Amino acid sequence: MRSYEVNRSTTETTIALKLTIDGTGDSSIETGIGFFDHMLTLLTKHGLFDLQVDCQGDLEVDQHHSVEDVGIAFGEAFRNALGDKAGITRYASVTTPMDEALSTVSLDLSGRSYLVYQVEGLKDKVGNFDTELVEEFFQAFASNAKVTLHIHNVYGKNTHHIIESMFKGFGRALDIATQKSGRVTGIPSTKGTL
């Protein structure tokens, strides 16, 4: 079973996170940030992972540390749960609609960290959630999972819908890229390592 637990404690956050890649979409998410919990739940459901997150953060300061640190912990758990990557599909590109919004997520489980985030026109807030933290989450994940990640919002008007299309697509792309392929022998790289 491809699974990993992270316990991360700093002066800003205390996080317990457990990820199972080959799950069923079950989640238990508690970060104290309602909209962020909703997005992580969607990611899990559409990625068919099992994810448990308990984050106690300094929300009296703002949401930044909690969102970024969950991204760090999720990326670390993902990298370790994936193991040596033998037999995986490795790449995925998914375009996901959410009502009037459309986003494309493309990724490579390359062992190299890179984020391209082409998203414009988000309102500053969805409820009390700071939307600039969406990029911070994806950057933290990409850096710690060692994944090349491209996110492009093609169009959309409603900020909630735009962000939701990205998180659903991200989950779907991770699911595809992590699948074992009967046609792949060993590590899917001419270098012999990822």
Side-chain angles (χ1 to χ4, degrees), residues 33-153:
I33 307 167
F35 181 76
F36 186 46
D37 290 355
H38 178 45
M39 292 301 108
L40 293 175
T41 300
L42 293 170
L43 184 161
T44 304
K45 186 70 169 178
H46 294 278
L48 295 172
F49 306 121
D50 292 339
L51 181 64
Q52 297 172 354
V53 179
D54 180 48
C55 174
Q56 306 297 318
D58 56 356
L59 296 179
E60 72 280 1
V61 175
D62 69 6
Q63 301 169 344
H64 188 283
H65 299 142
S66 293
V67 173
E68 182 178 34
D69 288 4
V70 167
I72 290 170
F74 182 50
E76 181 183 337
F78 182 84
R79 184 183 77 250
N80 284 286
L82 200 53
D84 66 3
K85 305 178 188 171
I88 64 166
T89 301
R90 178 178 168 176
Y91 294 95
S93 187
V94 173
T95 299
T96 306
M98 174 61 200
D99 293 350
E100 87 299 339
L102 188 73
S103 296
T104 297
V105 176
S106 299
L107 55 83
D108 175 11
L109 306 184
S110 61
R112 295 184 306 278
S113 305
Y114 205 90
L115 174 68
V116 175
Y117 183 79
Q118 295 181 333
V119 180
E120 297 179 4
L122 296 181
K123 292 185 171 64
D124 291 340
K125 300 262 191 188
V126 174
N128 70 347
F129 178 77
D130 299 320
T131 60
E132 69 180 3
L133 298 180
V134 173
E135 183 174 5
E136 295 296 329
F137 170 78
F138 286 123
Q139 181 63 67
F141 174 84
S143 295
N144 288 274
K146 298 188 183 291
V147 167
T148 299
L149 176 60
H150 292 244
I151 299 174
H152 177 218
N153 173 240

Side-chain angles (χ1 to χ4, degrees), residues 3 18 27 29 34 62 84 124 134 143 193-194:
S3 185
K18 181 178 180 183
S27 63
I29 314 288
D62 69 6
D84 66 3
D124 291 340
V134 173
S143 295
T193 186
L194 286 174

Side-chain angles (χ1 to χ4, degrees), residues 124-190:
D124 291 340
K125 300 262 191 188
V126 174
N128 70 347
F129 178 77
D130 299 320
T131 60
E132 69 180 3
L133 298 180
V134 173
E135 183 174 5
E136 295 296 329
F137 170 78
F138 286 123
Q139 181 63 67
F141 174 84
S143 295
N144 288 274
K146 298 188 183 291
V147 167
T148 299
L149 176 60
H150 292 244
I151 299 174
H152 177 218
N153 173 240
V154 182
Y155 48 75
K157 294 179 181 177
N158 181 289
T159 295
H160 185 138
H161 293 168
I162 292 169
I163 296 171
E164 187 165 331
S165 71
M166 292 188 288
F167 271 85
K168 286 179 175 176
F170 179 53
R172 292 175 62 220
L174 287 176
D175 178 44
I176 293 166
T178 57
Q179 292 300 305
K180 298 276 189 170
S181 169
R183 297 179 62 206
V184 176
T185 303
I187 306 297
S189 171
T190 55

